[in-house]
Amino acid sequence: MTATATGKSLHIYSSKESLSFNPIRKTKTNHLKFTKTLFSPNSRCHCLAIRASTNSLTILNDSPTLSNPDHQLRVQILSESLPYIQKFRGKTIVVKYGGAAMKSAELKASVVRDLVLLSCVGLRPVLVHGGGPEINVLLNQLNIPSQFRDGLRVTDARTMEVVSMVLVGKVNKDLVSRINFAGATAVGLSGMDGCLLTARPSPNAAQLGFVGEVARVDPTVLQPLVDIGHIPVIASVAADEFGQPYNINADTVAGEVAAALGAEKLILLTDVAGILRNREDPGSLVKEIDIKGVKKMIEDGKVAGGMIPKVNCCIRSLAQGVRTASIIDGRVEHSLLHEIMTDEGAGTMITG
């Protein structure tokens, strides 16, 4: 069976060959090749090979059809992914990781696999994380009470020490280890490493303690890691000019890092579907909106509560040159791939 078409292409052929499995690889002629063979007892081997190029589409098969629906679906997914891979290849994507995706083992594994896959096909992901649930666990074990004001953790000296221990020493290294095990190369950093972030006290420091804001980003230590294909994993802790550590909101850190790197996209993983026109109606998801439109939603009270700082973070990053910012549902497995590799997306995309 043969089919050809102009433009982007997908080549499929099968043959009676021995078993092998080869991952996607780039050839000298800019083809992407993926091969998979399958067999069952008392049956002959069959090899499915997919080759993507930019010139034509050819499908060759020595059997009448691909009868297994799973194989057809995989072919379709790979074919549809090609233009997105071409669009984002070599581009920096900053992802803020937290919420439900941090609590569930399945969702955590999903995020790690998505990051590694994106890195393998040529994107440049950067991961920024918080770690609220893990901080709460250790504070409880140490009998240190947790206090919050306006959604922000009140951070005295003892709490700040615990925050640093958990975010830098535990959560960060766990994520680095998982990404490395999955096949990429991750490097763990905090805002203090290489003076990546310089903090300043928040305007409400008297009530919040050592809760800070990002005063400055110096990507000198970060950019070379991105350029060579490593995945930086950044804990949202930084020090001020006098060396005092501060706990900084991870959304804020992600937005400022994205701006400093000139990222193509900022993605915030959250525990909601995205921005809703009606907060009581999950089906009222806003798929895409510009800065003017989302500011109007804030004025009208349609965006409120904890969503406001996330939206403001996106607006600020867009104003500093980030191309798009998305607030997506981190409760959905592989939401990162849905957002980057499909037209449908996985939440709300805000444009400049």
Side-chain angles (χ1 to χ4, degrees), residues 192-261:
M192 291 170 278
D193 294 309
C195 297
L196 173 58
L197 304 173
T198 300
R200 62 169 176 252
S202 75
N204 298 323
Q207 292 78 36
L208 295 174
F210 297 112
V211 174
E213 298 178 343
V214 177
R216 186 168 60 253
V217 180
D218 181 355
T220 303
V221 70
L222 189 59
Q223 191 67 60
L225 298 174
V226 175
D227 291 342
I228 62 175
H230 292 349
I231 300 178
V233 181
I234 303 170
S236 56
V237 173
D240 64 14
E241 294 178 342
F242 305 101
Q244 170 60 51
Y246 284 86
N247 180 21
I248 305 179
N249 180 274
D251 293 331
T252 302
V253 172
E256 296 301 318
V257 168
L261 291 174

Side-chain angles (χ1 to χ4, degrees), residues 10-30:
L10 178 70
H11 303 257
I12 305 175
Y13 58 90
S14 69
S15 61
K16 302 168 186 176
E17 297 177 2
S18 59
L19 284 172
S20 66
F21 182 88
N22 299 313
I24 293 176
R25 64 184 186 276
K26 185 177 179 182
T27 68
K28 293 181 179 179
T29 56
N30 290 323

Side-chain angles (χ1 to χ4, degrees), residues 39 53 58 64 71 89 115 132 141-142 156 162 164 177 190 196 208 246 252 266 268 284 300 302 306 344:
F39 69 97
S53 71
T58 303
H71 300 164
R89 185 173 178 80
L115 288 168
Q141 291 175 349
L142 297 174
D156 59 15
V162 172
S164 293
S177 178
S190 72
L196 173 58
L208 295 174
Y246 284 86
T252 302
L266 167 68
L268 306 182
S284 64
D300 295 343
K302 294 181 178 179
E344 184 68 15

Side-chain angles (χ1 to χ4, degrees), residues 79-128:
S79 176
E80 292 176 353
S81 297
L82 180 57
Y84 300 101
I85 294 172
Q86 291 172 323
K87 176 181 178 180
F88 289 109
R89 185 173 178 80
K91 303 293 178 61
T92 300
I93 310 292
V94 177
V95 178
K96 182 267 179 171
Y97 171 61
M102 185 169 276
K103 302 172 190 175
S104 161
E106 292 78 11
L107 292 175
K108 184 180 291 187
S110 168
V111 170
V112 168
R113 288 196 299 269
D114 288 358
L115 288 168
V116 172
L117 189 152
L118 293 173
S119 178
C120 286
V121 298
L123 282 72
R124 297 176 173 180
V126 176
L127 186 66
V128 177

Side-chain angles (χ1 to χ4, degrees), residues 57-77:
L57 175 64
T58 303
I59 302 178
L60 301 173
N61 197 338
D62 61 3
S63 61
T65 61
L66 291 175
S67 58
N68 190 322
D70 289 342
H71 300 164
Q72 294 173 337
L73 179 60
R74 289 168 185 165
V75 170
Q76 181 181 354
I77 291 171

